[in-house]
């Protein structure tokens, strides 16, 4: 008797504020046709990481499909970081920046096929103060926007648009930042400092034009005292960041960022409080992800 291949499907029911029953139905149909046994786990926000570890141990799936945003993908990656398993991304969050960087298609059917059969790419992760980041983290303006979005009542694109206006209206003075990346040290005033493993935010805007997610390095992108119109365009995904007098980009394997005051900090679209020191290092080829 043939032993069926097993996949674990992790669903975050609240990510992106949309109903995922149709998506789950299509994944189940695809699994049936592909002869794959599907084990489902729905996140609750309580002990999810431990429960995913237990589900992995019990079922030993060869792939884990994740229906959620960047935060859900990262949580799954952390849960199985000691195991050789491929993660298939089914973008379904309010922040799907990783899927943009992986060049995943817009259509669900194509994404499901890639999640099931796509070849594996070994991508880096970043450790920031012990927290894992697989995409883009930052301090300053965008983290402040995420803080406002999380505490607001309107979800989705409209929620972001409203909070961009609020965030820019309540803009603080620029903070003083020092980036020590060993052979490069930079000190300046900044509106925002991005720690980037990849190129783009979920809005599609390129924040790190030189980033590669498997090169063993991350980039620190310093946005200096840009005017409010430029900042609004960057946040809303209307202009890419390029290197100029107001933007500095540093590549590194390790770095320490310090600020003169505690500054809002976010990791992969999740607000993580305020910090005045970030210890950063690359975790080379930490995660296997299915790509087109």
């Amino acid at each position: 008797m043939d032993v069926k291949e097993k996949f674990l499907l992790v669903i975050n029911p609240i990510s992106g504020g949309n109903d995922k029953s149709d998506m789950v139905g299509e994944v189940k149909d695809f699994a049936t046709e592909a002869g794959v046994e599907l084990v489902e786990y729905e996140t609750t926000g309580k002990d999810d990481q431990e429960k995913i570890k237990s589900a992995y141990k019990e079922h030993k799936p060869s792939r884990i499909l994740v229906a959620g945003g960047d935060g859900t993908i990262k949580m799954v990656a952390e849960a199985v970081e000691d195991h050789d398993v491929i993660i298939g991304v089914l973008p379904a969050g309010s922040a799907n920046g990783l899927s943009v960087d992986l060049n995943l298609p817009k259509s669900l059917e194509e994404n499901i096929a890639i999640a099931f059969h796509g070849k594996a790419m070994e991508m880096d992760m970043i450790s920031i103060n012990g927290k894992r980041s697989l995409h883009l983290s930052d301090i300053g303006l965008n983290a402040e926007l995420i803080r406002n979005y999380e505490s607001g009542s309107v979800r989705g694109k409209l929620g972001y648009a409203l909070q961009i206006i609020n965030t820019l209206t309540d803009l603080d003075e620029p903070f003083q930042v020092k980036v020590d990346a060993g052979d490069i040290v930079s000190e300046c005033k900044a509106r925002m400092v991005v720690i980037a493993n990849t190129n783009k935010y979920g809005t599609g805007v390129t924040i790190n034009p030189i980033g590669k997610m498997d090169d063993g390095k991350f980039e620190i992108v310093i946005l200096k005292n840009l005017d409010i119109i430029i900042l609004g365009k960057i946040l809303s995904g209307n202009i890419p960041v390029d290197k100029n007098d107001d933007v500095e980009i540093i590549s590194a394997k390790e770095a320490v960022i310090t600020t003169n005051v505690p500054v809002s900090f976010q990791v992969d679209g999740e607000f993580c409080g305020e910090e005045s020191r970030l210890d950063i290092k690359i975790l080379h080829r930490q995660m296997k992800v299915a790509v087109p």
Side-chain angles (χ1 to χ4, degrees):
M1 192 179 110
D2 288 344
V3 178
K4 265 192 177 182
E5 192 174 13
K6 258 190 206 183
F7 287 5
L8 177 63
L9 171 62
V10 176
I11 308 138
N12 182 337
I14 62 166
S15 64
N18 48 23
D19 179 43
K20 302 189 182 56
S21 50
D22 288 351
M23 175 189 267
V24 172
E26 288 197 39
V27 173
K28 284 179 173 171
D29 291 345
F30 197 99
T32 305
E33 282 176 35
V36 170
E37 184 184 336
L38 208 57
V39 179
E40 285 177 64
Y41 174 76
E42 197 167 275
T43 63
T44 62
K46 201 166 186 261
D47 300 328
D48 286 317
Q49 206 165 311
E50 288 308 312
K51 287 171 183 166
I52 290 164
K53 279 183 184 174
S54 300
Y56 180 85
K57 214 167 158 184
E58 183 185 343
H59 299 287
K60 303 268 189 305
S62 52
R63 291 196 179 211
I64 301 180
L65 314 182
V66 184
D70 291 342
T72 315
I73 298 161
K74 186 183 64 163
M75 180 188 67
V76 170
E78 285 186 49
V80 297
E81 65 184 358
D82 298 328
H83 303 287
D84 185 13
V85 61
I86 297 167
I87 292 173
V89 175
L90 301 170
S94 48
N96 298 308
L98 184 63
S99 68
V100 174
D101 275 308
L102 292 170
N103 292 317
L104 293 181
K106 287 276 188 279
S107 97
L108 177 59
E109 290 79 2
E110 288 173 279
N111 269 325
I112 292 172
I114 292 163
F116 272 78
H117 301 306
K119 65 179 193 293
M121 179 185 114
E122 291 184 313
M123 68 173 277
D124 300 336
M125 291 174 81
I126 307 172
S127 169
I128 309 171
N129 287 4
K131 294 180 191 296
R132 298 285 193 273
S133 170
L134 46 88
H135 178 49
L136 293 163
S137 301
D138 51 60
I139 54 170
L141 185 64
N142 185 59
E144 196 60 38
L145 166 63
I146 287 169
R147 166 193 252 175
N148 292 339
Y149 177 78
E150 285 183 5
S151 60
S153 55
V154 183
R155 286 287 165 262
K157 287 191 169 138
L158 176 62
Y160 265 117
L162 292 171
Q163 294 306 342
I164 287 170
I165 296 161
N166 290 345
T167 306
L168 291 172
T169 308
D170 298 335
L171 204 57
D172 286 331
E173 287 298 303
F175 52 91
Q176 189 70 29
V177 66
K178 178 181 178 183
V179 176
D180 184 344
D183 50 348
I184 301 172
V185 177
S186 178
E187 287 192 64
C188 61
K189 279 194 173 351
R191 288 286 185 192
M192 176 168 153
V193 180
V194 185
I195 302 111
N197 188 33
T198 56
N199 304 100
K200 295 177 182 144
Y201 281 114
T203 53
V205 70
T206 297
I207 196 81
N208 174 24
I210 63 172
K212 290 195 176 90
M213 56 179 94
D214 60 352
D215 63 351
K217 286 186 289 197
F218 57 85
E219 277 70 44
I220 295 168
V221 184
I222 307 167
L223 278 70
K224 299 179 185 178
N225 201 7
L226 302 168
D227 73 45
I228 197 161
I229 292 163
I230 302 271
L231 290 169
K233 285 183 171 176
I234 290 168
L235 286 183
S236 59
N238 288 324
I239 58 164
V241 166
D242 56 353
K243 287 172 94 163
N244 59 42
D245 291 345
D246 281 322
V247 178
E248 184 179 354
I249 302 176
I250 299 166
S251 284
K253 292 181 178 180
E254 284 190 36
V256 176
I257 296 175
T258 47
T259 58
N260 63 324
V261 290
V263 183
S264 290
F265 169 50
Q266 69 88 16
V267 175
D268 292 342
E270 185 186 347
F271 181 68
C272 297
E274 294 183 341
E275 296 289 349
S276 53
R277 179 187 169 103
L278 300 177
D279 288 278
I280 312 156
K281 63 172 191 275
I282 197 75
L283 305 169
H284 193 31
R285 297 194 167 165
Q286 187 82 8
M287 163 182 163
K288 281 186 177 175
V289 61
V291 292

